[in-house]
Each structure stands twice: as structure tokens, then as C-alpha cells.
Amino acid sequence: MVTRIVWQRLDVPGLEWAQIDRRADGSTLVGTAIVVQDQVIHRIEYSIELDASGRTRTAHVDAAAGDDAPLRIDLVADGHGRWECDGATVIDSPGCLDIDIGFSPLTNSLPIWRLGLEPGESRDIETAWLRFPGLDLIQGSQTYDRVGDRTWRYRSARFEALLEVDAEGLVTEYGRYWRAVGRGA
């Protein structure tokens, strides 16, 4: 099933468009975000491949910001916590199975889909976190609490946000930062 969604940024000017193709044998996610932060216009395009178990296998990001030279990041994951960029291992931790692209609410859906938690359940995970706006990659620790049928609490270090999802677990509202404003097949 192919789904297209548009989110509007709520705290700064910005939009993100994404197309999600979820299949039993794996999923493909592509998108583009335009965000204005600190008077700098950021354009970020990404593609992510998931395996049949929902683990990130590849993530490609092309970014341009202001007058800076364009940046391309190509990550390959083995599905067991080992992440490589340009052939070099950048993260190697068995629990690090998801990409978190820091500007996008879409990547918060990845652990929601993969974990399959019931209301009241919680799970600590590790992510390959591509932080925004610097686009540096670090190993991040996060917690996902399913607090209701369609509500999750996301926590990372000193940050916390409530996530609202649709019936398919796709984030439709991300705290006071993003809100879905259009969706279709």
C-alpha cells in the first residue's frame, strides 16, 4: 500500500512531503522537507529502505542549507546494529535498528511499526540519529511509551513529545512541532 502525507512545521516555517510504500517483504520511504530555521532555508531529500522485519537497511539523505555546499549521506545497516557510511563502520550496537532523521516525524513511525507495543507498554531503543540542523550522526537512546490506542510518548535525553498516530501507526502529530495537513493514497 502506498500512502502520501504532508506535515506542516508548527514552530518554524516548514513542510515535509513523504511517500510510504509498505510491503510484506520490506518498505520504501521517500520524502522532501523544506524548513527555515534561524533564517536559513534547509532542503532535505531522503530515501529509506526497511527489511521485512521493519529494520532500517539503507538511508540516503541529500541536503542543502543556505550557501553551504550540498551534503550527501549514505548509510547502510546490516539489520543487526552495524551501520556504515562510505564503507566505514560508524555505529556498531546490536540494539540500534532504526534511523531517526531529526527533522522528520516520519522516522518516529519506524519503531512504532517495528515494536508493535500494546497500550501501557514501553520500550527503550537505540537509533542511528541524524541530528538537525547539523546532520551529524550519533547513536541515540530513545523511549517509546504507548499511552493509548493512537497516542505515544517519545523521550530522548531531556526531550519529550506526545505523538499521535493514525490507524496504521503513521505519525500525524508530533507535539508542538509537526502536524499532518494532507494525506492520500
Side-chain angles (χ1 to χ4, degrees):
M1 172 175 74
V2 175
T3 301
R4 291 176 189 85
I5 188 166
V6 174
W7 293 276
Q8 180 177 356
R9 187 79 187 235
L10 303 175
D11 60 329
V12 297
L15 288 171
E16 179 176 352
W17 169 89
Q19 177 174 292
I20 303 102
D21 183 4
R22 292 185 71 192
R23 303 173 314 277
D25 64 341
S27 300
T28 303
L29 303 85
V30 296
T32 301
I34 306 292
V35 177
V36 180
Q37 185 156 339
D38 299 325
Q39 299 182 358
V40 176
I41 299 171
H42 299 265
R43 179 196 46 81
I44 309 123
E45 297 176 356
Y46 61 87
S47 64
I48 301 168
E49 296 285 334
L50 308 177
D51 66 17
S53 298
R55 296 171 293 200
T56 304
R57 299 311 297 270
T58 65
H60 306 283
V61 176
D62 289 295
D67 295 328
D68 294 345
L71 175 66
R72 178 159 179 99
I73 300 166
D74 294 305
L75 297 170
V76 177
D78 68 359
H80 301 286
R82 184 180 181 96
W83 295 76
E84 294 184 356
C85 184
D86 297 327
T89 299
V90 291
I91 296 174
D92 193 1
S93 178
C96 191
L97 305 177
D98 303 297
I99 186 77
D100 182 345
I101 299 178
F103 62 82
S104 176
L106 176 59
T107 53
N108 291 92
S109 291
L110 305 184
I112 290 171
W113 295 336
R114 187 177 60 75
L115 296 172
L117 300 179
E118 295 295 324
E121 292 184 322
S122 178
R123 185 79 47 89
D124 294 327
I125 66 166
E126 297 173 31
T127 63
W129 181 25
L130 189 61
R131 298 190 295 182
F132 179 80
L135 299 179
D136 54 315
L137 183 72
I138 66 167
Q139 182 177 335
S141 298
Q142 301 177 348
T143 302
Y144 282 82
D145 302 312
R146 187 165 183 188
V147 296
D149 286 339
R150 294 192 182 183
T151 306
W152 295 72
R153 179 176 297 109
Y154 161 73
R155 292 179 284 151
S156 176
R158 294 178 300 262
F159 179 81
E160 181 176 313
L162 283 179
L163 308 176
E164 296 294 330
V165 300
D166 63 14
E168 297 156 8
L170 182 60
V171 172
T172 57
E173 191 164 327
Y174 184 112
R176 56 188 168 94
Y177 300 99
W178 292 97
R179 179 175 296 132
V181 293
R183 181 190 163 126

